[in-house]
């Protein structure tokens, strides 16, 4: 593989991941370390890592807004791949537009420049949030109108276009996947519109009650984290000649809060689900794709998801069930 040493911060370096302490970064680092070796993946963030993360492999402080520091990390560690995960997500982005603009847009510019300057292979995640109310929503193809109405979505469309521009202009090996809402068992979401689909599992097992902040009929594309991380590594390892585009939709399942609750109720019949709609998140969700067309990813580099809704629910409840049994035993 082409990884000599990676960093993940919410980048991965040699592989480096910056933005690495969020919902996805710790899982990505662990996934890449299994593949490339513990010391070949550096995780970075501006937050202090919890002990288990600190002990699991190289971690460094890196602020995506500090270009000189990014360059120093790449040079000193001979980084070859960079996974750029730092971002403010959709709901927190609307609550702090100027910070979202800085991290999601200025931060991206720094990453593009450092990657182009040092010949890195660069992964930047995009999102279903890169589409808007005038995009076709059911299904949403790779190429269509993209007029998002959040700073998060605007910054991601910008990232897709800038990455493609750097590819044609400077030969940067830029690779990008549009992720659906990602559901993870052992990490908390960072302030997005799809967070409810993670929180329901925590609450169902802990309290037997869940208050959902989206309407019961809000349909959104979703994916289990294991599929998301595997897709990320697969597109990074795909032969250059197999990629006909720089940015691909990837899809696994699509459901509403009512459908998710129905599936969880099969395992926890006493679960009580109520709805208290957050108008900001609801407006965002109503502008996003309902189903994602990922036929290009399947055709070009063989993308195939493993987890549908029933497997997702069983896996999440097994994880939370065993966690709560451990907690009770202690
Ligand atoms: N979690 C999801 O459902 C989805 C995530 N994505 C994308 O995947 C990436 C990772 O997402 P999550 O892990 O969920 O996000 P998160 O919000 O959980 O984590 C983001 C991380 O970025 C870090 N960060 C913020 N400002 C920074 C700075 N100036 N310098 C360095 N690090 C900084 C934060 O400390 C945090 O640890 C993001 O780019 C997001 O847009 C895309 C679609 C879905
Ligand atoms: C789908 C995403 O990009 C993220 N989870 C969010 O809801 O903002």
């Amino acid at each position: 593989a082409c990884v000599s040493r990676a960093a993940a911060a919410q980048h991965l370096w040699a592989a480096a991941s910056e933005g690495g302490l969020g919902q996805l970064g710790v899982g990505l680092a662990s996934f890449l370390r299994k593949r490339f070796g513990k010391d070949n993946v550096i995780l970075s963030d501006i937050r202090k890592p919890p002990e288990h993360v600190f002990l699991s492999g190289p971690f460094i402080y890196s602020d995506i807004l500090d270009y000189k520091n990014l360059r120093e990390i790449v040079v000193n560690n001979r980084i070859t791949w960079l996974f750029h995960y730092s971002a403010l997500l959709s709901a927190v982005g609307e609550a702090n537009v100027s910070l979202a603009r800085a991290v999601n847009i200025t931060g991206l510019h720094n990453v593009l420049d450092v990657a182009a300057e040092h010949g890195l292979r660069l992964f930047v995640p995009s999102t279903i949030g890169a589409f808007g109310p005038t995009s076709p929503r059911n299904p949403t193809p790779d190429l269509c109108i993209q007029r998002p109405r959040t700073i998060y979505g605007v910054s991601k469309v910008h990232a897709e276009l800038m990455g493609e521009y750097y590819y044609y202009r400077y030969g940067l090996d830029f690779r990008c996947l549009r992720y659906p809402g990602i559901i993870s068992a052992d990490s908390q979401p960072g302030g997005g519109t799809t967070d409810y689909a993670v929180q329901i599992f925590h609450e169902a097992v802990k309290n037997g009650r869940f208050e959902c902040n989206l309407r019961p009929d809000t349909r959104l594309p979703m994916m289990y984290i294991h599929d998301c991380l595997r897709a990320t590594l697969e597109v990074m390892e795909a032969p250059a000649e197999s990629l006909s585009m720089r940015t691909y939709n990837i899809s696994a399942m699509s459901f509403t809060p009512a459908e998710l609750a129905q599936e969880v109720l099969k395992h926890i019949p006493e679960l009580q689900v109520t709805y208290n709609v957050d108008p900001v998140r609801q407006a965002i969700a109503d502008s996003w794709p309902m189903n994602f067309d990922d036929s290009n990813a399947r055709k070009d580099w063989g993308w195939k998801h493993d987890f549908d809704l029933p497997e997702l629910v069983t896996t999440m409840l097994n994880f939370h069930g065993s966690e709560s049994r451990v907690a009770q035993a202690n």
Side-chain angles (χ1 to χ4, degrees), residues 9-10 18-25 44-47 62-65 84-89 103 125-128 152 156 179-183 188-191 194:
Q10 303 294 328
E18 49 57 33
L21 292 181
Q23 187 197 353
L24 306 186
S44 71
D45 206 299
I46 50 173
R47 292 193 281 154
S62 168
D63 184 342
I64 197 65
L65 298 173
H84 170 52
Y85 268 14
S86 321
L88 264 66
L89 272 55
V103 174
S126 186
T127 162
I128 50 174
Y152 178 59
K156 291 295 187 177
Y179 294 163
I182 306 300
I183 298 165
Q188 290 291 337
T194 59

Side-chain angles (χ1 to χ4, degrees), residues 25-324:
V26 173
L28 177 66
S30 146
F31 200 77
L32 293 175
R33 283 173 179 152
K34 281 190 195 117
R35 176 83 175 81
F36 301 115
K38 170 170 155 275
D39 293 329
N40 286 327
V41 177
I42 303 169
L43 190 63
S44 71
D45 206 299
I46 50 173
R47 292 193 281 154
K48 190 159 122 183
E51 186 168 285
H52 74 277
V53 174
F54 187 69
L55 296 176
S56 66
F59 178 88
I60 47 177
Y61 171 88
S62 168
D63 184 342
I64 197 65
L65 298 173
D66 182 347
Y67 181 77
K68 268 184 71 187
N69 177 240
L70 284 180
R71 191 164 58 189
E72 204 174 302
I73 292 167
V74 168
V75 169
N76 288 351
N77 295 284
R78 307 191 63 242
I79 299 303
T80 52
W81 286 12
L82 181 56
F83 296 79
H84 170 52
Y85 268 14
S86 321
L88 264 66
L89 272 55
S90 55
V92 292
E94 289 313 291
N96 194 341
V97 173
S98 63
L99 184 62
R101 203 176 63 176
V103 174
N104 297 11
I105 298 180
T106 309
L108 171 90
H109 293 168
N110 288 341
V111 167
L112 286 171
D113 284 340
V114 88
E117 195 181 332
H118 297 280
L120 308 186
R121 184 171 297 183
L122 174 64
F123 180 82
V124 177
S126 186
T127 162
I128 50 174
F131 296 94
T134 50
S135 307
R137 294 179 63 214
N138 193 11
T140 305
D142 280 303
L143 296 176
C144 63
I145 292 172
Q146 286 181 265
R147 286 293 211 258
R149 301 239 175 114
T150 59
I151 186 63
Y152 178 59
V154 168
S155 72
K156 291 295 187 177
V157 176
H158 179 69
E160 295 176 7
L161 291 174
M162 286 295 284
E164 192 171 313
Y165 174 74
Y166 269 55
Y167 169 72
Y168 286 114
R169 182 75 171 78
Y170 304 116
L172 173 67
D173 192 350
F174 172 87
R175 302 179 185 209
C176 175
L177 296 178
R178 294 193 191 103
Y179 294 163
I182 306 300
I183 298 165
S184 57
D186 57 356
S187 58
Q188 290 291 337
T193 303
T194 59
D195 291 7
Y196 90 87
V198 179
Q199 284 153 354
I200 187 173
F201 294 100
H202 295 265
E203 298 299 316
V205 172
K206 212 167 71 188
N207 306 319
R209 261 179 283 117
F210 177 63
E211 187 179 89
C212 183
N213 55 21
L214 293 181
R215 269 196 332 263
D217 61 347
T218 311
R219 180 170 300 283
L220 291 167
M222 300 279 184
M223 181 177 280
Y224 184 53
I225 188 167
H226 190 269
D227 275 340
C228 164
L229 300 179
R230 187 169 54 75
T232 302
L233 184 54
E234 283 177 11
V235 79
M236 283 295 269
E237 293 194 302
E241 58 279 9
S242 68
L243 303 177
S244 63
M245 309 187 298
R246 307 322 299 176
T247 297
Y248 288 91
N249 291 352
I250 51 165
S251 176
M253 65 191 100
S254 171
F255 54 73
T256 65
E259 288 166 357
L260 176 58
Q262 200 56 45
E263 195 63 36
V264 177
L265 278 164
K266 290 183 187 163
H267 301 260
I268 310 180
E270 65 281 12
L271 173 67
Q272 288 175 17
V273 180
T274 52
Y275 294 89
N276 182 10
V277 171
D278 168 3
V280 173
R281 283 185 168 81
Q282 188 64 52
I284 294 173
D286 287 342
S287 75
W288 281 4
M290 298 159 88
N291 274 293
F292 232 20
D293 175 354
D294 64 353
S295 48
N296 287 314
R298 289 177 192 259
K299 178 164 54 75
D300 283 5
W301 47 276
W303 163 241
K304 192 171 172 306
H305 70 279
D306 283 336
F307 287 79
D308 283 304
L309 181 57
E311 296 85 54
L312 167 82
V313 170
T314 311
T315 308
M316 290 291 289
L317 290 176
N318 281 344
F319 178 88
H320 285 295
S322 55
E323 286 281 288
S324 90

